[in-house]
Every structure is written in C-alpha cells, then in structure tokens.
Amino acid sequence: MSQSETDPNTGQPVGLPVADPSPAPRPGPVTLEGRYGRVERLAQQHDKDLWEAVKDHDALWTYMSSYGPFADFAAFSKWIGSRPPLEDPYCYAVVEPSGRAVGIATLMEIKPAMRSIEVGHIVYTPLLQRTPLGTEAQYLLAKYVFETLGYRRYEWKCNALNAPSRRAALRYGFAFEGILRQAMIAKGRNRDTAYFSMLDSEWPARKKAFETWLAPENFDAQGRQKVSLTALNGPKALT
C-alpha cells in the first residue's frame, strides 16, 4: 500500500507530495567506469566484437519483442547502426577493460515528467553472463539513473515466460509487481509481461548490496562468490 496523507479540503487520502516534481534529465552519452569494466554509449564500432559474441547463440533473441536473431554480420551491423540515433530506447555497450564489447543494456520507456525509466533490451552474451562485469553494469546504470539523473522509479519488464530474466530482476533487487496479460504481440505471438520495479527510496539499500557483492573480498581465490547478491537483497535489505 502506498503511503498517503489526508487532503485538507476533502478529507480523502492522497499521495505524499513529491520533493522535486520537475522533469528529470534524459540519459546521455556517458561512460560509466567500474572495477571490472565500463558502460558506454553503443556505437557502430562495437558491431564486430558483439557479433563475434552473439553469433550462433540464437537463444539470446527469443524473448526480444521485435528483432533478432540475425542471419549474418551485415544484418547485425545494420541493426547496431540503427540504435545510436534513437533517444528512446537509449543504448549502451558493456565493455571489458580490454575494450572488447560483450553486451548491450538499454534505458527506455523514458518518462522525464514522471521521473520513471526502464532498463531493458538487455543482450548479455555468453562472455558476459555470470561475470562480475555483468552485475556491475546493472549497478552502474542504476546508480546513474538514481544519483545522476534523479529518477524515482526504475523498471524491469520482461516476457512472463522468460524465467532467467525474472530471476535476474529479483537478484538485482527489483520488486515483482505483477503480470499484465496479453500486454503485447511480440513476433506474432502473445506476450504476457512481468513487471518489476526499484524505487529511489529503496536504492540506498540496493546500492549497498551491489557494492558488497562487487567488492574483491567477496570472491575467493578461484573467483567464486562468498555471499550471493540474492542473499544480500533479501527481505531485510530495505530495513
């Protein structure tokens, strides 16, 4: 249940005032540096690295609503080239310290007036899956959204049948809100959409969980985690 107060004129319950109701800035071409790599604006030059990482992995595209998989490098490169001019969705590449691009993450459904934004169109190649950089990229984007841009609501939405995406949302600290039935027609098929969110009031606890998990001391000599991010984002994380 949302917090409320009583309207002084009608006596009805109303939502609490928003501290800053002015529109939030839109995402920009920033480079977000981390310990394990960086997030930077997606560019045409990322196409070769990304193609090498996604080719022969058609399952990466199954739940994308309108594109992929791609027949060859030419088709993929053309798609990559179509992304940078867009303001919404606004695409970023996830890049290793070596400079090799290994994934894509996108800020989209951008609603500055409502201070609401979504992270989606996520393409985590096998090179990025189950790596510290994969988690760090989500931390860097969330920090940018909440602390630099000042958004109040951060969304994660996915096909309700996409079990890995739903698990990832919960692991990163998003709260499950429900399923919108027959929300979309995706590639000619019905899509029920699962909704998750993270609020600005929840971010400090989520940030602490991310930073605790990402710390070098959370990994043993073989690179295995000591405490899981799921455990750090447990029910007590917001208290």
Side-chain angles (χ1 to χ4, degrees):
M1 180 71 70
S2 298
Q3 291 183 309
S4 64
E5 63 183 24
T6 301
D7 186 289
N9 298 316
T10 68
Q12 295 171 294
V14 292
L16 298 179
V18 175
D20 183 1
S22 63
R26 288 184 170 273
V30 294
T31 297
L32 308 173
E33 297 281 356
R35 178 179 289 114
Y36 302 100
R38 66 183 185 269
V39 174
E40 65 186 29
R41 183 73 165 117
L42 182 68
Q44 186 71 63
Q45 68 196 38
H46 295 121
D47 59 355
K48 292 182 177 63
D49 285 343
L50 290 170
W51 175 247
E52 288 301 313
V54 304
K55 68 179 181 180
D56 302 322
H57 297 286
D58 287 359
L60 293 172
W61 309 98
T62 299
Y63 297 110
M64 294 297 177
S65 59
S66 61
Y67 52 80
F70 298 90
D72 51 32
F73 172 68
F76 180 75
S77 179
K78 182 178 180 180
W79 176 75
I80 290 290
S82 73
R83 312 309 283 175
L86 302 177
E87 292 187 357
D88 186 358
Y90 199 90
C91 303
Y92 295 92
V94 182
V95 181
E96 294 177 331
S98 66
R100 180 174 62 170
V102 291
I104 299 171
T106 302
L107 295 178
M108 53 190 286
E109 295 293 321
I110 303 165
K111 302 173 184 175
M114 299 297 109
R115 291 184 173 262
S116 174
I117 196 168
E118 176 187 348
V119 61
H121 292 195
I122 296 168
V123 182
Y124 271 23
T125 73
L127 296 173
L128 186 57
Q129 294 168 11
R130 299 181 180 277
T131 67
L133 176 56
T135 296
E136 184 177 57
Q138 294 299 325
Y139 160 73
L140 292 171
L141 283 169
K143 184 178 180 182
Y144 175 58
V145 162
F146 285 120
E147 298 186 11
T148 301
L149 301 180
Y151 281 81
R152 306 168 58 241
R153 175 180 170 85
Y154 194 36
E155 295 181 335
W156 179 293
K157 300 196 286 283
C158 64
N159 189 312
L161 298 175
N162 189 348
S165 183
R166 293 179 66 167
R167 288 195 298 269
L170 295 174
R171 177 176 176 268
Y172 294 139
F174 290 83
F176 176 63
E177 294 184 325
I179 294 175
L180 270 62
R181 300 178 299 165
Q182 296 189 184
M184 296 178 64
I185 299 174
K187 298 177 179 174
R189 296 180 181 273
N190 176 65
R191 171 174 146 164
D192 296 347
T193 298
Y195 272 65
F196 300 80
S197 71
M198 187 186 301
L199 305 182
D200 54 350
S201 59
E202 299 165 346
W203 171 240
R206 298 319 189 205
K207 177 182 180 180
K208 181 179 179 181
F210 270 122
E211 292 180 348
T212 300
W213 189 87
L214 290 165
E217 55 267 28
N218 189 44
F219 298 91
D220 65 19
Q222 288 71 45
R224 294 172 300 203
Q225 66 177 6
K226 296 177 182 178
V227 181
S228 72
L229 186 56
T230 299
L232 292 167
N233 275 321
K236 295 182 180 181
L238 296 180
T239 60

